[in-house]
Amino acid sequence: MNGSAPSVAPKVGVVVLNYRNYADTVACLRTLAAVTYPTIETFVVDNDSRNDSLLQIRAGLGWSSADCPTVAEAELDRGAALPGSRFSVQASANRGYAAGNNLGIRMALARGCDYVLVLNNDTEVRPDFLEPLVAYAEAHPDFGAVGPKIVNAEGGVDLHCARRRPDLGFYFFSTGIGRKAWPNNPWSRRHYYKGEYAFDLPKEVDLLSGSCMLLRRAALAQVGLFDEATFLYQEELILHEKFRARGWRQAIVPESVVMHKGGQATLREMPAPIRKAARESLRYYLEHYRHFGRFTCLAIEWLAGGLPRFFRRKKSPVRNLPN
């Protein structure tokens, strides 16, 4: 995993959260094992899958328990002192996407990592993807997070890798009935930087994709980790609000490229437990971080989850299901 770059490079801890889908996790970790960045530690967090995921991951990669020791959730302090560069963390319960990632982030910070890369398990990375992210972050100390250009399996740009903070127009025209009535509306175009950004040069943006984000240690120390009040979804939007309140900026660095297999499912297309969790996360974000009134929150929630005939998009894998 180590390349020939100087050992003084900032240490990056990569957190990969697994929930039952160990096949994707193995594929992701295979690509991560080929990266050329020299100082990297990997933290595979199993979010209480209850299907021997960590054993299956080790078997798929040919790792022994010595190659990748398992640390229980209650023993993160012990894990901070272990030798090696690959670790498994076993969550004691599935408390959601934010809480699961936070276990890996806490261990990475306890081990002295300068940056933490949160990487979805349904991604695959290029060998040289990390150097441009770290270089940009090192050159811009006021940026709390940087992210790569996210592409789909066909090589097309996933527009969710660079977005503006959503406004009321976006919620109506991009998640509600306005999306069908006026697909190329200016609110959607503005939200996704359409027509103004070619995803070719670094650019400051409001929101990065939660599928791959390089987070600065100093920023996390100031604003805290992911908000564990949400079980699923809205994590990057909430983190943006926390960064925004303390003056931290974010940028996309398209020289770095990561492929994301997943997509964005609408509320109507999700299984019932996930639909409920997503709706609760949306309401929490709107009320606690955007401070919208109750009527506005209910209207946005209705637009996002109501009127099923207006929400016909391709289904995608869900990152993290409730037990």
Side-chain angles (χ1 to χ4, degrees), residues 38-295:
T39 47
I40 182 173
E41 293 191 355
T42 304
F43 304 88
V44 184
V45 181
D46 180 63
N47 218 6
D48 194 29
S49 297
R50 306 182 189 182
N51 67 348
D52 292 326
S53 273
L54 293 181
L55 290 176
Q56 296 291 342
I57 290 167
R58 285 199 193 97
L61 294 166
W63 293 349
S64 68
S65 57
D67 296 327
C68 184
T70 297
V71 177
E73 178 178 334
E75 300 177 323
L76 293 184
D77 289 340
R78 178 184 71 85
L82 289 175
S85 62
R86 292 189 296 236
F87 306 93
S88 301
V89 178
Q90 181 61 65
S92 61
N94 178 7
R95 295 184 299 278
Y97 181 82
N101 274 299
N102 280 349
L103 293 176
I105 295 172
R106 289 190 182 99
M107 188 168 170
L109 295 177
R111 292 184 60 82
C113 292
D114 302 292
Y115 296 93
V116 179
L117 184 89
V118 176
L119 186 68
N120 273 17
N121 72 328
D122 60 347
T123 61
E124 295 185 5
V125 303
R126 297 183 181 181
D128 60 351
F129 90 105
L130 197 47
E131 285 89 344
L133 297 178
V134 175
Y136 190 90
E138 287 289 283
H140 299 83
D142 54 337
F143 281 67
V146 296
K149 178 168 68 175
I150 307 292
V151 299
N152 58 32
E154 291 74 38
V157 175
D158 180 348
L159 295 181
H160 287 84
C161 66
R163 291 172 287 160
R164 280 194 171 92
R165 187 180 190 230
D167 56 19
L168 293 178
F170 163 78
Y171 281 115
F172 181 80
F173 285 106
S174 292
T175 65
I177 58 175
R179 182 169 64 89
K180 284 287 187 179
W182 192 3
N184 199 33
N185 64 80
W187 290 272
S188 292
R189 293 182 62 82
R190 181 179 182 279
H191 182 73
Y192 295 110
Y193 297 95
K194 288 183 179 179
E196 58 180 290
Y197 181 43
F199 295 90
D200 53 351
L201 298 172
K203 178 179 176 61
E204 181 176 357
V205 298
D206 288 345
L207 299 169
L208 297 168
S209 171
S211 61
C212 183
M213 304 174 71
L214 183 73
L215 306 174
R216 186 184 299 275
R217 181 189 186 95
L220 293 174
Q222 191 174 77
V223 309
L225 309 187
F226 288 124
D227 189 330
E228 297 184 12
T230 63
F231 187 88
L232 185 66
Y233 297 117
Q234 306 298 317
E235 297 88 11
E236 60 264 48
L237 283 84
I238 290 174
L239 187 62
H240 165 70
E241 294 300 321
K242 294 167 71 172
F243 280 161
R244 188 173 184 267
R246 303 301 290 268
W248 290 103
R249 302 157 69 188
Q250 300 184 76
I252 180 174
V253 182
E255 185 182 350
S256 174
V257 180
V258 169
M259 190 272 284
H260 186 210
K261 302 173 188 175
Q264 299 291 322
T266 65
L267 280 175
R268 293 298 303 186
E269 294 169 334
M270 298 173 184
I274 299 307
R275 187 163 62 248
K276 180 176 182 291
R279 185 176 290 114
E280 290 173 349
S281 295
L282 176 61
R283 186 184 309 136
Y284 177 78
Y285 162 70
L286 295 171
E287 290 180 353
H288 293 272
Y289 286 94
R290 299 302 300 274
H291 308 293
F292 290 149
R294 180 166 178 77
F295 176 79

